[in-house]
Amino acid sequence: MSRRLAARPLLALSLVLAAATPVLAQQTPPTQEAVLAHASGERITRSADVRRYFEALRAANPDRMVIGDYATSWEGRPLFWAAVGSPRNIARLEAIKAATNALADPRRTSPEQARALINDTPAVVWMAYSVHGNEISPADAALAAARRLTDAADAEAQGWLENVVVVFVPTQNPDGRERFINSFEAGLGAEPNGDPLSAERAEPWPSGRFNHNLFDLNRDWFIQSQPETQGHAALIREWRPQVVVDSHEMGTDSSFFFPPEAQPLNPWIYPPILDARERFGRNTAGRFDQAGLDYFTRETFDAFYPGYGDGWPAYFGAVSMTYEQGSSRGLVARRSSGEILTYADTVKGHLTATLSTIETAARDREKLLSDFYAFHRDGVAGGRGAYVLSRSAAADPAAADKLAGLLVRSGLEVGRATAAFSACGQSYQAGDYVVNLAQPHRRMAETLLAKDVPLDPKFLAEQEARRARGLGDEIYDLTGWSLPLLFNVPSQKCAGAPSVQTTAVGPELVRPVAVAGTDAAYGYAIHPGTAGMRFLTAALKEKLPVRSIEEAFTLDGRAYPGGAFIVPRAGAPADLDERVRRIAAASGARVTALATSWVSDGPSVGSDKATAITAPRVAMAWDDPTEPESAGAIRHVLEREYGWPVTAVRTRRLSNADLSRYQVLILPSGGDYERILGESGVANLRAWVQSGGVLIGVGAASRLLTDPDAKLLDSRRESAVASDGDADKKTDKQAAGTEIATDAEYLALTGHHGAPDSVAGVLARAVVDNDHWLGAGVAPELSVMVRGSDIYTPLNRDQGTNVVRLAGPDQVLASGQLWAENRRQLAYKPVAMVSGVGRGQVVAFTQDVTMRAFLEGLKPLFLNAVFRGPAHTSGAGGED
């Protein structure tokens, strides 16, 4: 049941408007048939038509709905939101946002002021739909829900809207949705066919799940690499909702999931949020029982990783939840039981859950707002100490700058020290960053900045028991994601907050640095790192001469690390100085003017150790068998972050394509390349490398490179280590005879002896050979994301170089949950290997070093392969 907000005077801080609401003639909202020529659930509504129907609802009752845009997709489609409420609440939306923002900062809002705000402020309920483009029914459910809420004759709905404002985000991923609908309609026959093999239900690569850039937007929240996520995150920060729902679809045989979630739970989730999820779940269960709909809770979909659309908002104090509906993946589907599931059925499931959520929020409005205020009070009052991020000690200061900006985009307050200071027994410099924990979003700071977020010991014991029985673990996604480790930025949590004065950091990701020195008679020197690489790609696009010195040197009294770049004036355009200043400002690179080329230590800038870098033509495999996320992340890093063009080539065409015009070919992580390429295709790649090409394999693509038949790299993928410590050896003909004497022997015998157990995702410590060109300018130690079960043997010295290898068994784990046998087997194994093949180079990254575009610390390593690699072949040069 809903209740009306108490009418009482507010304090001046409330900012709630008392303006009279104009009385408008109410119209019955139009049906979908009238606007879109199909009923709810009868067809899959296209993205533009979703917007068109919302506009029609607003036109019918403009005092009950407001619509706005928050971003534009990569393909140019507007992303919009629509707020629905009572006429009084719609008239004072800005005041409501001001009130929720005041409740989110108890340092400026006293308990008395908060109580006044709570008494006259509706809860904001955020309903986000279809973040995965092929999860289609949520967006159509949004249409049906919005129509009901804008119907003035619906007394129940209007009662809810006295207590809540509902913000709909109907299509979070319109590009992916259109890709799915296009493939569905292309395969559609005279009538919908629910057969699992029907063409309409079989999506071609890369499927509609991803956005245009092939990113999983549901895992982009704290890195915010995509415009869809950037705009959505900013919108949530503006509104500060108390309830957030992210609506999805899952496998066809499943029913419907809503919270409570499965274990493990992130320990930094505010306990009242978990209690509220239970209340919402119980109400939805009642609604589903009434409607005769099946559902389940707790069995899957944990709440540990903070990068989801239902995870990240929880650390803003929202009761955030994932809803999952079994999908028809079209208009009709036949489940394995023989039951027919229609698209209308799936829309009904999400509509029921949506209305239940609004009903619960309306009933619990006061408690939701009170808990929301208490969450932020807990953040300030419970904050002890600070995280210090050392820009001055970072191998890549630009990565520290980007990290600071990203933290601000996640709602954190970050300060930049104005003077040197001491903290945690260490010395820090002006410019280092301080994240004081006595702030409203302390829990966001803890979960993003802690080196490790522990899993519950009871849950881990259960997983070990499952593994002993040959069952997979129940970890849904990554267990290690510490942003300082991902960015390779030194960080420390201090028990006390430093007393140094700081200036507030903004959301900018690049901090321009002025060019040092004034006399550039010889040219310029550029430090390596992410900013240095941005300078390099821009300089190459402007056809500036660039040399790489891969050993440390001292020039004009300044020390430079290996991997620094030199741009000499000789051979450069006449306006070199203006170009360098402009590129330096845009890239954030550390650039120094050089009056002379005289080197007092290290190789001379004019020696043969100063390697000329030319603009490489880069191709990459695109399509099956590549993993879309890997292909998308690689292309995004090169094209979007570093501005370098890539030719995406359908993988099958690589079998007989003339690759001679390319200097670099990248194989993203993926499945069976040999099946797609065939023997002749692998031979074509090998011949191209032997002629001087640089072949880069990422993640599972290393399986092709290390296949003995490929004759590209002498490393081999390992099987699991047996209990006697030796690698498991099998024959094709006969198994060895055994005797079983104990339960332990039985478990050991029946255990898994194929590949090592899969790892959900941990951050591992790795050591870099900085003397090799691939390691030039890279930090001597890195954090590497390790996932899956692939482990490779190190190369012998006569086979190539293990440029990056994992640390020893006692040091290899940096963050996350790593099974003991994986820890032992991963120790000292290679992450990056290089081998000369003919006149070319083969580079294997055994892990996905561009995963989700959030491994900032590994980007210089990957870019070295692309841009320094061709300089170490005897192949053809780069672009003219």
Side-chain angles (χ1 to χ4, degrees), residues 476-548:
Y476 195 73
D477 207 281
L478 310 182
T479 60
W481 59 79
S482 170
L483 288 184
L485 294 178
L486 290 176
F487 279 62
N488 215 47
V489 173
S491 70
Q492 187 71 31
K493 184 179 180 180
C494 301
S499 58
V500 65
Q501 185 175 6
T502 63
T503 57
V505 173
E508 299 78 18
L509 303 183
V510 174
R511 178 174 170 267
V513 180
V515 175
T518 57
D519 187 352
Y522 177 75
Y524 295 89
I526 300 93
H527 281 259
T530 52
M533 284 296 185
R534 284 194 293 269
F535 187 101
L536 170 67
T537 55
L540 292 177
K541 289 185 78 170
E542 296 204 18
K543 302 187 183 304
L544 301 185
V546 182
R547 301 175 190 172
S548 169

Side-chain angles (χ1 to χ4, degrees), residues 96-116:
I96 290 169
K97 287 193 286 185
T100 57
N101 275 272
L103 291 174
D105 192 349
R107 295 167 300 186
R108 64 185 179 93
T109 307
S110 71
E112 293 76 18
Q113 293 169 327
R115 175 51 50 195

Side-chain angles (χ1 to χ4, degrees), residues 167 172 179 276 341 363 403 452 596 602 645 685 751 780 791 819 824:
V167 179
Q172 299 180 72
R179 187 188 309 125
L341 178 70
R363 180 195 67 204
L403 174 55
D452 191 53
T596 176
L685 296 188
I791 302 174
W819 313 120
R824 293 191 296 269

Side-chain angles (χ1 to χ4, degrees), residues 621-660:
W622 194 255
D623 213 328
D624 187 45
T626 71
E627 297 169 4
E629 283 184 278
S630 177
I634 289 169
R635 195 174 186 182
H636 171 85
V637 168
L638 285 170
E639 292 190 340
R640 308 291 186 180
E641 294 190 7
Y642 288 88
W644 198 257
V646 176
T647 301
V649 182
R650 302 289 181 187
T651 311
R652 293 182 185 277
R653 299 196 64 187
L654 295 174
S655 297
N656 53 20
D658 178 5
L659 300 173
S660 61

Side-chain angles (χ1 to χ4, degrees), residues 645-719:
V646 176
T647 301
V649 182
R650 302 289 181 187
T651 311
R652 293 182 185 277
R653 299 196 64 187
L654 295 174
S655 297
N656 53 20
D658 178 5
L659 300 173
S660 61
R661 60 183 174 276
Y662 300 105
Q663 287 70 55
V664 177
L665 173 62
I666 304 169
L667 303 180
S669 188
D672 191 349
Y673 273 97
E674 203 163 16
R675 173 182 61 85
I676 300 296
L677 295 172
E679 185 176 339
S680 62
V682 175
N684 189 40
L685 296 188
R686 184 170 58 248
W688 171 77
V689 175
Q690 290 171 335
S691 297
V694 177
L695 180 62
I696 302 170
V698 176
S702 299
R703 297 180 183 184
L704 172 66
L705 304 187
T706 59
D707 187 314
D709 295 335
K711 301 176 183 177
L712 290 167
L713 198 64
D714 287 325
S715 173
R716 297 292 177 262
R717 186 159 61 109
E718 297 184 355
S719 62

Side-chain angles (χ1 to χ4, degrees), residues 3 6 27 40 67 100 107 133 138 151 187 190 364 433 526 557 738 758 777 782 806 817 831:
R3 69 173 183 81
Q27 297 185 32
S40 177
I67 295 176
T100 57
R107 295 167 300 186
D151 187 352
D364 292 354
Y433 296 107
I526 300 93
T738 60
S758 182
L782 296 171
L806 295 173
Q817 173 57 37
V831 172

Side-chain angles (χ1 to χ4, degrees), residues 222 266-270 304 306 315-316 375 378-389 407 410-413 435-454 479-484 491-495 815:
F222 62 66
N266 191 304
W268 290 110
I269 297 175
Y270 188 49
F304 191 66
Y315 306 98
F316 276 96
F375 170 90
D378 169 80
V380 175
R384 300 288 184 273
Y387 282 92
V388 182
L389 310 175
L407 294 176
S410 279
L412 296 178
E413 297 167 358
V435 182
N436 195 320
L437 289 175
Q439 61 172 293
H441 298 133
R442 168 177 62 91
R443 291 174 181 268
M444 179 77 82
E446 293 280 20
T447 198
L448 294 184
L449 294 175
K451 285 189 168 61
D452 191 53
V453 176
T479 60
W481 59 79
S482 170
L483 288 184
S491 70
Q492 187 71 31
K493 184 179 180 180
C494 301
S815 179

